[in-house]
Amino acid sequence: MAKNLEQPTVNAVSDNYEKERKLGFLENLYLPEILKGMWYSFKQMFQPTFTMKYPEEKWDPPAIFRGRPVLVEDHGKERCVACGLCARACPPLAISMQAKETDDEKERFPDFFEINMLRCIYCGYCEEVCPEEAIVMSKDYDIVFESREDAVYDKERLLVPKEDVSERLEYLKKYRNRQFGSFWDFQEENNIHSVRDRDREWNTGLSLVDMIERQEKNDATPASSSWS
Ligand code: SF4
Ligand code: SF4
């Protein structure tokens, strides 16, 4: 028998619509249901609010939050040693940079460093791969551009003092550096080029023999799959 296409026999929810619940008299009138909905909305007006009056009220995100990536300025200089790892790891190729040599102990610095914030997807890979904790995810989520050129952040706009991102740096120290257990401590100690650690005292009081012993112990420690 030919189907009557003017009279659909199924609906989008169920192809067995004949078993659907029949609406009652009041439900068919609609008005009581609308009043019920309005009463529910009215009651919510007296409940505690969970929203903020942005932009008058600003949210202060926790340290785990990944906002705009920034370059860390340490003692008035960028920590970045222009290794290029972040640019290599960045999935949307948002980072471009050029290295230059310097007589400073860190030997290299970025002559220019740019992040195209129209491309950035806030993945945090740049932070993850950076050996110097020179690029970190800040709490800045309030980003506005007036043009495409304006969205390209140069080194001057990216640099922030390390004190401003101290919470994130602490977070990284706690959760990132401890991934491999005590093994990391030894590596960090050996990192003589690290600007990150230049103001730290590395005299551990261990003799060379003790240090070799500790290294052997660390090498024998299996990598931990958890941060606990
Ligand atoms: S957060 Fe991700 S997308 Fe943004 S600059 Fe870093 S690596 Fe690239
Ligand atoms: S920010 Fe870090 S990963 Fe990127 S070039 Fe500088 S030192 Fe290397």
Side-chain angles (χ1 to χ4, degrees):
M1 197 176 78
K3 273 189 177 175
N4 180 0
L5 297 178
E6 301 295 320
Q7 298 275 319
T9 54
V10 293
N11 66 22
V13 181
S14 160
D15 56 3
N16 199 3
Y17 70 99
E18 281 166 0
K19 288 190 180 163
E20 281 177 11
R21 184 173 69 86
K22 294 269 183 299
L23 294 181
F25 174 71
L26 287 178
E27 285 169 328
N28 267 327
L29 285 180
Y30 289 112
L31 204 55
E33 294 302 307
I34 289 171
L35 291 175
K36 227 159 89 179
M38 288 173 77
W39 172 243
Y40 180 79
S41 303
F42 181 75
K43 275 195 304 187
Q44 295 309 308
M45 286 166 60
F46 303 101
Q47 299 295 324
T49 52
F50 299 98
T51 50
M52 282 181 173
K53 290 179 184 163
Y54 181 83
E56 286 79 18
E57 285 179 44
K58 288 265 169 73
W59 177 51
D60 182 28
I64 198 172
F65 181 79
R66 290 201 307 262
R68 175 174 78 87
V70 296
L71 286 176
V72 181
E73 189 181 84
D74 197 345
H75 295 84
K77 283 184 186 167
E78 69 281 324
R79 278 183 174 180
C80 177
V81 291
C83 66
L85 278 175
C86 54
R88 181 78 179 166
C90 178
L93 306 178
I95 301 176
S96 56
M97 53 174 299
Q98 177 63 54
K100 205 172 178 183
E101 295 199 347
T102 165
D103 293 335
D104 202 13
E105 67 178 317
K106 69 173 186 171
E107 298 173 9
R108 280 155 58 104
F109 73 101
D111 193 21
F112 77 84
F113 194 109
E114 289 176 352
I115 301 183
N116 186 338
M117 292 308 297
L118 286 174
R119 288 188 168 199
C120 179
I121 52 171
Y122 304 88
C123 62
Y125 285 5
C126 49
E127 176 191 68
E128 189 81 21
V129 296
C130 180
E132 297 288 337
E133 281 173 10
I135 187 165
V136 298
M137 306 306 282
S138 69
K139 291 185 176 188
D140 189 4
Y141 57 87
D142 196 358
I143 308 165
V144 182
F145 322 116
E146 291 186 351
S147 65
R148 285 181 170 272
E149 293 73 31
D150 199 25
V152 179
Y153 279 50
D154 61 8
K155 200 168 81 173
E156 280 61 44
R157 282 171 83 195
L158 287 170
L159 277 172
V160 299
K162 68 174 178 181
E163 293 74 23
D164 291 5
V165 283
S166 56
E167 265 186 69
R168 183 69 182 183
L169 291 171
E170 279 306 312
Y171 168 81
L172 293 175
K173 189 168 295 199
K174 191 166 172 199
Y175 291 108
R176 191 180 76 158
N177 295 355
R178 285 183 56 207
Q179 288 184 72
F180 304 106
S182 53
F183 185 65
W184 174 266
D185 295 337
F186 198 79
Q187 282 193 323
E188 206 174 13
E189 205 168 299
N190 272 347
N191 192 356
I192 55 169
H193 289 290
S194 176
V195 183
R196 176 184 56 188
D197 299 318
R198 69 183 172 189
D199 55 349
R200 287 171 66 169
E201 178 58 61
W202 283 121
N203 182 5
T204 58
L206 293 176
S207 70
L208 188 59
V209 176
D210 289 340
M211 287 173 85
I212 290 169
E213 260 179 28
R214 183 166 153 187
Q215 174 69 79
E216 282 169 355
K217 183 167 161 271
N218 287 340
D219 285 348
T221 306
S224 167
S225 60
S226 75
W227 290 344
S228 58

